[in-house]
Amino acid sequence: MGILQPLEGNMAVAEAMRQINPDVVAAYPITPSTEIVQTFATFVADGKVDTNYVAVESEHSAMSACTAAAAAGGRVMNATSANGLALMWEILYITASLRLPVMLTVVNRALSGNINIHCDHSDTMGARDAGWIQLYAENVQESYDNLIQAVAIGERMDVRLPVMSCLDGFLVSHSYELLEVEDDDAVREWVGPYKPNRPLLDIENPYTVGPLDLYDFYMEHKRSQWEAYPTAMQAVIEEGKRFGDAFGRHYGLMETVELDDADIAIVALGSAAGTAKDVVEQLRDQGVKAGLLKLRCFRPFPGEQIAAALAGRKAVCVMDRAASFGAGTGPLYHEIAAAMYGAGHAVPIQNIIYGLGGRMLRPEEIETVFRDLVQIAESGKVTETCKWLGVRE
Amino acid sequence: MAKLTEVRWHGRGGQGAKTAGYVLAVAAAQQGWTVQAFPEYGAERRGAPMRSYVRISDAPIRLRSGIDNPDIVIVLDPSLIATESVLSGLPDGGLLIINTDQSPQEVAESLGNPNVKLYTVNASAISVDTIGRDIPNTPMLGALAKVSDLLELDITLKAVEEQLSGRLPAPVVEGNKEAIRRAYEEVQVA
């Protein structure tokens, strides 16, 4: 049982990092994740951790240093947002391809332009194909818990992948909430010591990392990377259970609320799911059979599990906090629609784009989404696949 | 039904509406409530109008949108009355606490005599006296402790001490506590 204390989201993440005590943090601060690395830097300065903190001149350098330190054999962590993540782009793919378990907290923020510091998921959705595991948190407690689990998931010898632990900018990163902070020793024991795999600092056994790899072998290397993701998905499930057994808060690939007998359901990531839970409860009180699927693990994508959970609904709405320009719908919709089609479930699916650049999502708006779903369930038809919520037309 | 109290702070960047919201949340948490507090900025600019929100409940708080229908509104800068809809969503009988050198009657008149419980306190003058700068956020907590049943004065003082110690020199922390005590005594009702 941890100690219940009020902390801001960013502080809770920094606290998890302090407890994990990584070997290297190489970071460049950016709003709204600044307080994570700022607070962690004070832990380093005050001698509360043994971490080698590298102050770099850009996010490209930050992720380069993190990747190199992980290849050298260190446990490595970092935090960023939006444009900072974009500047890391080139290296993100390399970290994953080299199977280096770097832990990156991403405080989700709109990726310009115009310039905007507030929440949406355009930053991490853009990075969805880079090969990183992605977990999304609804609140401060989950941000803390997810980062601790991320270390265990990514570092498993049968996984060895980097993890993005995502939380909504300002809505969660700057929200003060009560959370259970676990005991330092209990967290360290649960995470366990870091076991490097073929570290470069093992100078008795030198080898080359990241050399030229052309058409004779590149595709085999990509195929072997491909094989890691089903295992990673299993690791998310197993570590979520192991975390729950140790600390009392169980996690899986997704969380469902009133979904089993729901006629209509929405799917959401992150903090929006919290507001949606209140709306589902209100609608249930009014006799409307509404449900929620909160997706926690977006990468690897649990398409079969989502399709099984949504099968039998009369209408579903997928809520996207990012637009995929030119696609006509949001990225989460694409994947869920494909998963439903692949599983043979002909459920009408509405797509909603909401909350871009921090546009507030109000419970009344979620209620209108459910009211529209009632109509869709009756007619069996979606008239306009993608709608924008809360936008002035 | 869960008992939920929603508080909306109106301030300007640098006046401490965010910190005041956090201190309120910490104090409420120490009294056994579930809490949530978060700011709503434009671009994090000093002097720009901003809001911060606090939810206090006896049940888990899952709602994460801004507060449209507050039970309590606290205004840190009197100039915001003219430019921000501080009364927006405040129901009849809701609590409105304003930092101003005007009397509650004068403020009520300038707001069109709304049907709310209006209180004023000169938090700016108090903070200049006690802290040496116009930082009106903590004294407003003293006023809130007096006029609502959300906060106990001693727990508020303890929460402020916990939140500010380490970040600010000891005399400044003491000044903030004195500011809270004075605002608790000096808040006026319309």
Side-chain angles (χ1 to χ4, degrees), chain A residues 172-244:
Chain A
V172 179
S173 69
H174 286 61
S175 181
Y176 230 79
E177 292 168 35
L178 282 173
L179 77 154
E180 266 184 54
V181 176
E182 302 299 335
D183 176 68
D184 286 4
D185 290 337
V187 171
R188 279 175 201 174
E189 193 185 325
W190 188 85
V191 169
Y194 184 60
K195 298 186 199 71
N197 185 25
R198 298 188 74 194
L200 280 176
L201 288 179
D202 177 10
I203 55 174
E204 300 298 318
N205 297 291
Y207 75 115
T208 304
V209 168
L212 190 66
D213 187 10
L214 300 180
Y215 44 69
D216 49 352
F217 276 110
Y218 185 82
M219 208 157 158
E220 282 71 26
H221 289 141
K222 289 292 110 179
R223 177 68 200 196
S224 94
Q225 183 184 345
W226 184 265
E227 298 295 333
Y229 296 88
T231 315
M233 186 147 45
Q234 199 54 37
V236 172
I237 297 168
E238 288 169 13
E239 297 303 326
K241 181 178 184 309
R242 190 170 72 87
F243 186 88

Side-chain angles (χ1 to χ4, degrees), chain A residues 90-168:
Chain A
E90 177 191 2
I91 314 301
L92 293 178
Y93 282 77
I94 296 170
T95 318
S97 300
L98 296 179
R99 307 290 296 276
L100 297 168
V102 172
M103 300 302 136
L104 176 66
T105 294
V106 182
V107 177
N108 286 107
R109 160 184 157 180
L111 192 50
S112 314
N114 297 329
I115 196 157
N116 181 299
I117 59 169
H118 295 282
C119 177
D120 69 35
H121 297 156
S122 51
D123 49 4
T124 48
M125 281 296 148
R128 67 186 178 169
D129 296 338
W132 288 58
I133 294 167
Q134 286 189 357
L135 303 176
Y136 287 81
E138 176 192 321
N139 52 35
V140 173
Q141 181 77 63
E142 291 186 8
S143 304
Y144 169 84
D145 291 348
N146 280 356
L147 184 57
I148 294 169
Q149 288 171 70
V151 177
I153 295 162
E155 288 181 2
R156 264 173 56 155
M157 279 300 176
D158 57 352
V159 175
R160 287 281 141 170
L161 284 170
V163 186
M164 289 182 197
S165 179
C166 309
L167 54 139
D168 284 353

